[in-house]
Amino acid sequence: MAFCSVVNTDGKIEFVTPNVETFLEYNHEYLIDKSIYNIIHVGDHARFSSNLLPMSIGNVFGWSEPRETPNKCSAFRCRFLIKPPEDQDETMEEKQTRVSQYENMQISAVLLPQPEKNETDENSTEGQNRLVCVARRLPPSEKKHSRTEQFVTRLDGRGKIISIDTSCISTMYSQYLNKDLVGCIIQEMCHPDDFQKLTQHLKETLQQGSNTSGIYRLRLAHEKLFTFKRKVSA
């Protein structure tokens, strides 16, 4: 089972199926026009935002007009807030010390292309990205697997790291994945045995508009090799 939602660029929920109440205990009408970030764990905000407003590898071909691109699909996990109980007898101190409950869910998402803006309606949401999300509850077998660390980088056409967002990763890895990597060439960090695989991945991204890599290794510190799998949009 899963519930479906549509979120615009501002993060507002434009549509959600009634069965969301089965998962999160929120009435679907209550969630309309609310910010999706109100019901997502703060540690997953950047992950969701990066799929709603994806970074690109850069326009290296010099297109003067926007090009048509296929819908961008992605899959990631987010922790959704379960509606807190409305206990009228609960004291203010009990409310403040209550630990929020979250449901870790797998999201399959499609970023819809921006429709042309209607100039006659200044308040229209046309011209915005919309992310169509299907969220399903993780079965016990998947919950047992170790969590995958996710971060977002922006590269130019040569593979140079322009920016990096590591707000979703744990402190264990943030000591290696940080802003010190900005300016580095990702191919120069790659393990020699994986260099051809990474180069081909970047080339196919520029040709196809998006691409998911195989697994490759990057050297982020002396004698420290990390294994990566990338999904990139151009």
Side-chain angles (χ1 to χ4, degrees):
M1 290 181 61
F3 70 87
C4 179
S5 62
V6 178
V7 181
N8 66 24
T9 301
D10 296 327
K12 286 188 177 181
I13 302 171
E14 295 187 347
F15 169 82
V16 63
T17 51
N19 69 331
V20 66
E21 191 166 1
T22 304
F23 297 89
L24 308 181
E25 301 183 16
Y26 285 100
N27 181 280
H28 74 286
E29 294 179 347
Y30 169 82
L31 292 175
I32 299 299
D33 288 332
K34 298 292 193 303
S35 173
I36 187 70
Y37 300 107
N38 290 345
I39 60 170
I40 290 180
H41 191 284
V42 65
D44 295 332
H45 283 191
R47 179 175 303 149
F48 191 93
S49 179
S50 68
N51 284 274
L52 181 61
L53 304 169
M55 291 181 173
S56 69
I57 195 172
N59 181 355
V60 298
F61 296 117
W63 284 294
S64 57
E65 297 293 334
R67 61 191 175 105
E68 290 188 11
T69 56
N71 291 347
K72 295 179 174 62
C73 303
S74 58
F76 56 98
R77 293 182 183 181
C78 269
R79 290 161 289 180
F80 283 89
L81 176 68
I82 297 176
K83 183 182 178 183
E86 298 178 356
D87 190 344
Q88 300 296 329
D89 297 328
E90 194 175 33
T91 66
M92 181 58 67
E93 182 179 356
E94 288 172 331
K95 290 180 179 179
Q96 292 175 341
T97 57
R98 180 200 299 144
V99 177
S100 297
Q101 292 186 336
Y102 290 87
E103 178 75 34
N104 195 14
M105 305 190 74
Q106 179 75 20
I107 298 178
S108 298
V110 177
L111 184 67
L112 298 183
Q114 297 182 4
E116 293 185 5
K117 187 174 181 180
N118 185 353
E119 296 180 357
T120 61
D121 186 359
E122 294 182 356
N123 296 321
S124 174
T125 58
E126 291 182 1
Q128 292 193 5
N129 289 333
R130 283 175 174 79
L131 196 67
V132 179
C133 304
V134 176
R136 68 175 177 86
R137 187 174 283 134
L138 293 174
S141 59
E142 291 187 36
K143 289 183 178 180
K144 292 179 181 179
H145 294 167
S146 59
R147 180 186 172 190
T148 300
E149 302 280 346
Q150 297 187 36
F151 63 99
V152 179
T153 58
R154 183 180 180 186
L155 311 178
D156 67 11
R158 298 178 300 126
K160 180 180 178 180
I161 299 175
I162 299 173
S163 62
I164 182 167
D165 180 356
T166 59
S167 56
C168 289
I169 66 173
S170 64
T171 53
M172 179 185 302
Y173 295 99
S174 61
Q175 59 181 313
Y176 305 109
L177 291 165
N178 52 53
K179 293 182 178 179
D180 292 342
L181 296 177
V182 173
C184 296
I185 306 296
I186 194 168
Q187 295 94 321
E188 295 177 356
M189 301 160 57
C190 186
H191 189 283
D193 293 345
D194 300 333
F195 180 81
Q196 185 175 357
K197 185 189 303 182
L198 174 60
T199 302
Q200 183 65 25
H201 162 58
L202 297 177
K203 180 181 178 181
E204 291 176 356
T205 299
L206 292 172
Q207 293 174 340
Q208 302 171 11
S210 64
N211 185 263
T212 300
S213 76
I215 296 174
Y216 61 90
R217 293 159 290 177
L218 295 181
R219 187 178 300 279
L220 301 180
H222 182 61
E223 296 183 353
K224 287 285 185 180
L225 280 173
F226 293 85
T227 302
F228 294 87
K229 183 174 183 178
R230 291 174 57 88
K231 179 175 177 63
V232 181
S233 298

